[in-house]
Structure formats: C-alpha cells, structure tokens
Amino acid sequence: ETGVTQTPRHLVMGMTNKKSLKCEQHLGHNAMYWYKQSAKKPLELMFVYNFKEQTENNSVPSRFSPECPNSSHLFLHLHTLQPEDSALYLCASKALAGGAFNEQFFGPGTRLTVL
Amino acid sequence: DQQVKQNSPSLSVQEGRISILNCDYTNSMFDYFLWYKKYPAEGPTFLISISSIKDKNEDGRFTVFLNKSAKHLSLHIVPSQPGDSAVYFCAASAGAGSYQLTFGKGTKLSVIP
C-alpha cells in the first residue's frame, strides 16, 4: 500500500449504530487530519493530530471521537449519528518540517450514509 | 463567513483552449495558496502552490497567478485536456509552519473533446 488509505470506502449505518473509520498513511508523515465534505460545502477540518497529539478540534460534536494510536494510524469513532452527518469523510497527512510548507496528502475518503 | 471563495461552481471549456479557475480570499494573514484536483471517488490530489512572495508559479500546463492587492488567485490550464475534467479546490494557509488549510467549495471543470 502506498500513500493514504481509508477503510471502509462506503458505510451505511443507523442512528443507533457504533462504527469506526480507519485511516493509514504510508508516507512517514507526522501530522494527520480528519475532514468532512458535505454536498455544496467546502471541506471542513474536524480534527488535527501532530505527533499523535490532538492539536485541533474544530467544534466537532462529541458523537465523533478521534483516536491516533501512532503517527501512521488515525481512527474516527462514530456513535449515535444523525442523518445530517452523512458526508464524505476524508483523511489527510502531512510532513511537519521546520520552516517549509508541505502539502497535505489525502486518502480516497469514506462515503458515510446515516439512515 | 467563507474566507476562501470559488464563485463559479462549474466551468466548461473546449479541449485545447485555456481553462481559468478563480479564487478569492478575505483573510490577509493567508500567505500560502494551493490548488487541489479531485476526481469522483478519489481524494483531492495536490496540483500546484504559490507563496505570497511570488505572483506566478508555473508547472507544465498549469500556472497559478496571485494578486495580493486584490486577494485573488487564478489557475490557468493550457492547453486543456479531457483528463483535466475534475473538481478543483483552492486552499489557503496562514504561515509556512501552519498545519491548517482553509478550502473553497470547488469548481467543477468539464473539458469537452
């Protein structure tokens, strides 16, 4: 595997279910991100992890719970979601290098549908 | 309020002609700008970037122009090819060490053969 991978690619869940999204990066990066992309809206940053430490939580409801066990893996745990949470969830990673700007590399996303 | 705006949701261009995608921003702290390209069922992929110390950056068929006084940037694709058909996102960052990108809503480019 290369780049940033996400599983599952598609997920349908009921409002009472608990599920998890998984992201893995094979690039040796040390920052990882969760984004939400809803129809006709910009990508919304949800969470940022730098060196496994959460550095940003963009006022995300507690029904979304991130976990970063190491710098290569990122999870998004989902429980009691609402239909309006249906969206494309994108994971990204980035190298943190002093003074240089490095672009973020994105995974293919998980298309989530909440019934 | 959106800090990065792409006011054209879609654009159609004939193959071989120039495609011009526009992006406006409001935050004067932004000093690094990127364009991402996204195909259906794939994540965005980095295309080209520009620092605020420059007004132009070129990479093959792709050129990004930055007008800081107008807080405007544009992506030119010449010549346009059918494989360029995708959604293009403009993104901005404040500071070289910043980890956060602010994205526009995207412009869907269709290149007609």
Side-chain angles (χ1 to χ4, degrees), chain A residues 17 19 32 41 47 51 54-55 65 71 78 89 105 112:
Chain A
N17 291 157
K19 296 285 184 184
M32 295 188 78
K41 292 175 99 174
F47 300 104
F51 298 101
Q54 185 176 314
T55 55
S65 173
S71 56
L78 316 170
Y89 288 84
F105 289 78
L112 174 67

Side-chain angles (χ1 to χ4, degrees), chain A residues 9 33 37 42 56 101 104 106-107, chain B residues 32 36 41 43-44 89 99 103:
Chain A
R9 294 293 308 275
Y33 308 76
Q37 186 182 20
E56 187 83 21
F101 189 95
Q104 293 179 21
F106 284 84
Chain B
Y32 203 88
Y36 280 83
F89 293 97
Y99 49 77
F103 284 85

Side-chain angles (χ1 to χ4, degrees), chain B residues 47-65:
Chain B
L47 191 58
I48 192 169
S49 63
I50 188 167
S51 163
S52 60
I53 61 172
K54 295 185 173 183
D55 54 18
K56 177 182 174 182
N57 188 27
E58 195 170 350
D59 183 2
R61 297 185 296 113
F62 302 90
T63 303
V64 55
F65 294 91

Side-chain angles (χ1 to χ4, degrees), chain B residues 11-74:
Chain B
L11 174 69
S12 288
V13 171
Q14 205 73 31
E15 180 179 4
R17 306 293 290 269
I18 183 171
S19 296
I20 300 176
L21 296 101
N22 294 303
C23 178
D24 298 291
Y25 62 96
T26 57
N27 188 342
S28 57
M29 299 299 292
F30 288 148
D31 60 358
Y32 203 88
F33 305 89
L34 305 89
W35 285 94
Y36 280 83
K37 173 180 178 180
K38 185 180 183 302
Y39 292 117
E42 295 183 16
T45 55
F46 170 73
L47 191 58
I48 192 169
S49 63
I50 188 167
S51 163
S52 60
I53 61 172
K54 295 185 173 183
D55 54 18
K56 177 182 174 182
N57 188 27
E58 195 170 350
D59 183 2
R61 297 185 296 113
F62 302 90
T63 303
V64 55
F65 294 91
L66 176 62
N67 182 333
K68 286 191 295 290
S69 60
K71 294 192 176 70
H72 176 84
L73 62 154
S74 60

